[in-house]
Amino acid sequence: KKIDAILATMERWRWMPRNLGPAHVVLNIPDYHLRVYKDGHQIWMTRVVVGLPAKATPVLTETMKYITVNPTWNVPQSIIYNELLPVYESSDPNIFDKMGLKVEREANGHIRVFQPPGERNALGWIKFMFPNEHAVYLHDTPTRNLFANGKRAFSHGCMRVQDPLMYGEKLLSIALPQENYTAERLRKMFGGSEVNLNFPKFLPVHLTYQTAFVDDAGKLRILEDVYGRDKRMMDQLK
């Protein structure tokens, strides 16, 4: 099992850019942690919640372009039709109101469901955007108790950050160093309308799947293959 984890992780590393960027973010899905690097050194780390095995967080490399404070949550169509409407039709016609959701019918007939900014918002007070084909991103959350779990695969694919304010401070110190953004300054922005903080220079974000890695103490760690990707990888390699 250890050898398979090492080989599968090494194969996935071959897919990564040779240059991760002078400053960059690495999120290791089976480790449930996010790390920020600058000039070859880790400068910060926090816990994250990742996608359920049935709604797995993808492996990808993209660039973070902006942060949104006081985000609106536009509920994905899959959640509307697979989760909310069945409850609405079968048992609870007030489900949308209970969740603080607004419903609009668009010109093309699609239903738009969204949650305005606020303390009940599923994205919390801040989200971190690196646009990608999977429409996943990092964000705050009002459900903070999940970070106490050792295994944290609970989301629909997006990633929740345990300390989003400090994460924002670290990112903005790299992207907008002259602006002197702090966690407290970001906190004081909570409660109004949406505000986008655009990055003049984009920051690489690497969502990785490393079931084998060497920790800061120099010890090899083998993690649970939460999505079963190592087995599929080894079947293909063999």
Side-chain angles (χ1 to χ4, degrees):
K1 181 180 178 182
K2 286 185 178 180
I3 292 173
D4 284 355
I6 292 169
L7 292 175
T9 298
M10 289 175 67
E11 172 62 20
R12 283 187 288 266
W13 268 112
R14 291 201 313 113
W15 310 346
M16 299 288 290
R18 291 297 177 262
N19 183 353
L20 299 180
H24 60 274
V25 174
V26 175
L27 187 150
N28 185 9
I29 295 166
D31 184 41
Y32 309 110
H33 279 83
L34 172 153
R35 294 168 172 85
V36 180
Y37 294 87
K38 184 178 181 183
D39 299 327
H41 300 284
Q42 178 182 310
I43 62 171
W44 191 71
M45 179 178 71
T46 192
R47 291 185 170 199
V48 296
V49 170
V50 301
L52 291 156
K55 299 170 182 177
T57 296
V59 171
L60 60 82
T61 289
E62 265 300 346
T63 53
M64 189 171 296
K65 295 179 169 62
Y66 61 96
I67 293 173
T68 300
V69 183
N70 305 315
T72 296
W73 181 40
N74 291 296
V75 184
Q77 295 290 308
S78 60
I79 295 178
I80 295 172
Y81 287 97
N82 296 333
E83 300 181 27
L84 294 175
L85 284 180
V87 174
Y88 173 84
E89 294 171 350
S90 64
S91 61
D92 190 353
N94 298 314
I95 183 65
F96 293 97
D97 288 337
K98 287 180 178 178
M99 295 181 63
L101 300 173
K102 308 293 184 182
V103 181
E104 295 179 350
R105 185 174 294 277
E106 298 178 336
N108 58 10
H110 286 168
I111 296 174
R112 180 196 176 212
V113 180
F114 64 97
Q115 193 176 37
E119 61 183 0
R120 296 177 60 193
N121 190 287
L123 306 184
W125 292 107
I126 186 168
K127 69 176 180 178
F128 307 87
M129 296 299 295
F130 45 101
N132 58 83
E133 63 179 344
H134 302 279
V136 296
Y137 44 86
L138 289 146
H139 62 86
D140 181 17
T141 175
T143 313
R144 311 210 58 80
N145 60 300
L146 296 178
F147 293 109
N149 293 279
K151 299 176 182 178
R152 297 186 291 278
F154 300 113
S155 80
H156 286 77
C158 289
M159 297 132 284
R160 307 168 192 172
V161 183
Q162 183 177 27
D163 193 346
L165 286 172
M166 187 54 65
Y167 184 40
E169 177 179 315
K170 297 298 181 183
L171 295 178
L172 291 166
S173 72
I174 296 169
L176 293 166
Q178 285 78 33
E179 299 295 327
N180 297 316
Y181 278 100
T182 63
E184 186 57 31
R185 182 179 174 188
L186 290 171
R187 186 189 304 277
K188 290 179 179 178
M189 297 170 66
F190 291 176
S193 56
E194 281 195 354
V195 178
N196 287 334
L197 303 175
N198 297 308
F199 290 15
K201 187 175 182 180
F202 302 153
L203 188 71
V205 176
H206 308 285
L207 305 185
T208 69
Y209 195 86
Q210 307 168 46
T211 50
F213 74 100
V214 176
D215 64 19
D216 293 338
K219 182 180 178 180
L220 173 65
R221 292 185 56 195
I222 304 296
L223 305 176
E224 179 186 1
D225 184 12
V226 61
Y227 292 162
R229 288 177 174 168
D230 283 0
K231 184 181 185 306
R232 293 195 294 273
M233 175 70 71
M234 295 311 297
D235 289 344
Q236 292 172 333
L237 290 176
K238 291 175 180 177

